[in-house]
Amino acid sequence: NAGVMQNPRHLVRRRGQEARLRCSPMKGHSHVYWYRQLPEEGLKFMVYLQKENIIDESGMPKERFSAEFPKEGPSILRIQQVVRGDSAAYFCASSPRANSPLHFGNGTRLTVT
Amino acid sequence: RKEVEQDPGPFNVPEGATVAFNCTYSNSASQSFFWYRQDCRKEPKLLMSVYSSGNEDGRFTAQLNRASQYISLLIRDSKLSDSATYLCVVIPLEGSGYSTLTFGKGTMLLVSP
């Protein structure tokens, strides 16, 4: 039973480009969460999705950031026109039910040059 | 007051020592509590749940004090491999108006020979 799969592990983008981060939840998990972690900082909640629905996006910047979790395929976190401040580790987590413990993927480390 | 607060540490202890971390939370409607462990530059991993009656898992003991709104983690007979950052996680009641799982910034533990 594979865990939460995130790809790519590392992503380098130049300022102004787009970054797409993918997350496949654990089998049987329909709840997906995205967190961002800056160096030496804690995990910051971004968005919580269920299949085809955004449940809570209160932690996600209103501009340039979007997330989806389609009926088929992985969840995607999309960052348009990246800036240096977007450089961080982005962790995806999944759970079988709302408010149950999360299982995390290995993360995607985004570097904006 | 921040939703979840932890002493950032670092806690420097010798092997074999007993160490305890506390975590305070502000939302009295919080429902579930967990401790996660995060190794440097890796994803957080679930360490243990925290139950109202207190619970133990080997060298680890977790306790919850709802009246004072804090949870604690006690590690006995510390090992070098316990060196990590320990994150407390608070899950709100659904509909309480709070976003989903809130992570503390973590407490760093360094166990030395």
Side-chain angles (χ1 to χ4, degrees):
Chain A
N1 186 12
V4 178
M5 304 298 292
Q6 285 188 253
N7 68 81
R9 289 291 300 273
H10 299 275
L11 182 61
V12 179
R13 284 286 178 265
R14 287 196 296 272
R15 276 180 298 171
Q17 290 185 317
E18 178 180 289
R20 278 183 181 243
L21 288 62
R22 294 176 188 76
C23 170
S24 295
M26 282 182 72
K27 190 176 179 181
H29 288 195
S30 59
H31 300 255
V32 165
Y33 308 77
W34 285 93
Y35 286 81
R36 176 164 68 175
Q37 189 170 35
L38 294 167
E40 312 303 322
E41 295 282 323
L43 284 164
K44 187 178 176 209
F45 166 76
M46 296 184 74
V47 61
Y48 162 35
L49 311 102
Q50 263 186 285
K51 278 291 185 182
E52 299 184 272
N53 292 309
I54 294 176
I55 307 300
D56 182 350
E57 56 182 347
S58 58
M60 196 160 66
K62 297 261 186 292
E63 297 186 358
R64 303 189 298 109
F65 286 73
S66 62
E68 62 177 13
F69 188 16
K71 191 176 179 182
E72 301 291 338
S75 175
I76 306 285
L77 179 68
R78 184 178 172 212
I79 311 173
Q80 294 177 289
Q81 298 174 311
V82 296
V83 300
R84 287 226 171 101
D86 296 332
S87 296
Y90 291 83
F91 289 101
C92 169
S94 71
S95 68
R97 296 173 298 282
N99 294 341
S100 55
L102 305 187
H103 299 263
F104 282 83
N106 290 336
T108 293
R109 277 146 190 86
L110 172 65
T111 302
V112 179
T113 61
Chain B
R1 183 179 174 184
K2 292 181 183 174
E3 287 186 50
V4 179
E5 288 199 69
Q6 292 184 252
D7 182 339
F11 283 55
N12 287 286
V13 302
E15 268 187 293
T18 294
V19 61
F21 311 131
N22 280 343
C23 170
T24 57
Y25 60 95
S26 59
N27 178 9
S28 59
S30 296
Q31 183 180 35
S32 306
F33 308 87
F34 304 91
W35 282 101
Y36 277 71
R37 166 196 172 127
Q38 187 175 26
D39 292 280
C40 186
R41 299 182 66 78
K42 295 199 173 176
E43 76 276 18
K45 291 186 178 174
L46 179 64
L47 181 65
M48 60 195 300
S49 304
V50 186
Y51 302 122
S52 297
S53 55
N55 49 296
E56 195 173 300
D57 182 1
R59 298 181 293 108
F60 299 82
T61 301
Q63 291 195 310
L64 165 64
N65 185 319
R66 282 194 186 272
S68 300
Q69 294 183 206
Y70 75 85
I71 63 173
S72 64
L73 178 68
L74 180 79
I75 306 175
R76 290 183 298 277
D77 189 22
S78 300
K79 312 289 184 194
L80 294 176
S81 58
D82 293 334
S83 297
T85 296
Y86 291 83
L87 309 168
C88 73
V89 179
V90 173
I91 299 182
L93 280 171
E94 283 189 73
S96 66
Y98 281 77
S99 63
T100 189
L101 288 72
T102 302
F103 282 79
K105 284 193 174 180
T107 298
M108 186 183 293
L109 172 65
L110 299 170
V111 181
S112 53

